[in-house]
Amino acid sequence: MSSTHLGIPKGTRDFSPQTMAKRQYIFMNIQAVFQKFGFQPLETPSMENLSVLTGKYGDEGDQLLYKILDSGDYLKKTTAENYQAGYAKLLPKIASKGLRYDLTVPFARYVAMNRHEINFPFKRYQMQPVWRADRPQKGRYREFFQCDADVVGTSSLICEAEIVAMINEVFGRLGITNFSIHINHRKFLAGVAEAIGAPGKISELAVSLDKLTKIGPEKVLLELQNKGFDKDQCDYLKPLLGWKGVWSDLKAPLQDFLKNSSVGTTGLNEINTICDYVTTLNASGNLIFNASLARGLTYYTGSIFEVTVNNADMGSVCGGGRYDDLTGIFGLPDVSGVGISFGVDRIYDVMEQLKLFPENLMSFTNVLLIAMDDQSQGYALGLLSRLRSLDIACELYPDRAKLKKPLNYANKKGIPMVVLIGPEEIESGKLSVKQMVSGEQRQLTEDQLITTITKENL
């Protein structure tokens, strides 16, 4: 095939070995924390029935679903009338499946399908790709990974506190130290709308508040006025736009602000309980209350979380919250849960920007054996087998070539140790061992070689 015809679909990416080493480092650390906190792994199919996916993400989300043509003669069920009726009427005739849009809806479907086998509360994590027919642009792809952890079947606020602790541990492992975990509550936002005399306009209020960081307080208030909020309501809101910080400092003014709203007071009481639990877990250092945080309005019913890295040019890198009826859409009502999702692509970009990746991530192979001739190759294969039986990652350079070529190969792969095997080494029983970083070269027996590898943690 001509190189001019080679390519991949827009919005997708190839990941080189160098990039994959860094991505796997992120995945490995997130997975280790998920498991440490008692979450069990789950995978769902890449494709779901369209009946499962449609109607769960709003009209815009339905348009972004990748539909899969039915196998075989998918046109046999169609008629001329179907084509004339347009896309919406034709689609069910030719496509019954689609690629998953996120991990949340498939998770809800799984819980509803397996309700009698699942041990509640059910703690699961999922690390899989999702697909969206979105317009590709910087930082937005049509295929990308999500790393989700959810607890369903309990309304205990301890779960929220554990999520905060889990976020702290993930970013601590990755070397990201200057970050903030923003917390708010859906009931707090409902209370704010009630307190200013606009109880039926919580969505309009929240959408504008969520833009505070991007457009500033004056433009937020102007936008609210354009949405029909009067001057008195906007004036009453002004102090709220500055309420962002340590919970203990904001607790009293917030309670006074919402003293006449029962739903708002309930939200504040839940935040207070979560913060108390987080303090007990010694995980409160990066937690701040953010009165303008309003993500996930269509599905979150309680606490809301968002994580930002303060010393990096990036938006949120993690988000989540509490939902009261995740599985209700599949006939299993009143199953409360809370979850979090880590944005691997954004975390990757942050770590690149801050130069936080360890230098030795490409060192998958610890030892490279180089046989100098055909006779030495048989000996090298035996040594290769012995080293691998001891779980030492090693490989044999397969070709006969001048020494420069296999040494360059070792350098490019980041292999720290090279073992040269020729007739002299076989006769003497001592192998020529070269440390690639320092350039030091020694003569070692097989047993001494294994001891050295073990001692140096290669």
Side-chain angles (χ1 to χ4, degrees), residues 317-331:
V317 294
C318 180
R322 164 76 62 175
Y323 39 79
D324 282 336
D325 197 19
L326 174 70
T327 57
I329 52 178
F330 298 117

Side-chain angles (χ1 to χ4, degrees), residues 290-314:
N290 186 345
S292 67
L293 177 62
R295 61 180 290 128
L297 294 173
T298 57
Y299 43 92
Y300 291 138
T301 56
S303 56
I304 311 167
F305 298 101
E306 190 168 271
V307 183
T308 57
V309 179
N310 303 321
N311 59 337
D313 182 20
M314 185 62 62

Side-chain angles (χ1 to χ4, degrees), residues 70 77 87-96:
D70 291 338
K77 297 178 183 178
Y87 167 81
K89 294 291 184 182
L90 179 63
L91 180 65
K93 301 284 185 179
I94 62 174
S96 57

Side-chain angles (χ1 to χ4, degrees), residues 26 104 372:
I26 296 172
T104 305
M372 305 307 292

Side-chain angles (χ1 to χ4, degrees), residues 188-208:
F188 167 79
L189 294 169
V192 171
E194 190 175 87
I196 65 172
K201 301 176 74 172
I202 178 175
S203 293
E204 295 93 327
L205 173 66
V207 167
S208 294

Side-chain angles (χ1 to χ4, degrees), residues 241-253:
L241 302 183
W243 285 339
K244 178 179 175 182
V246 179
W247 170 250
S248 57
D249 296 338
L250 298 173
K251 179 179 174 181

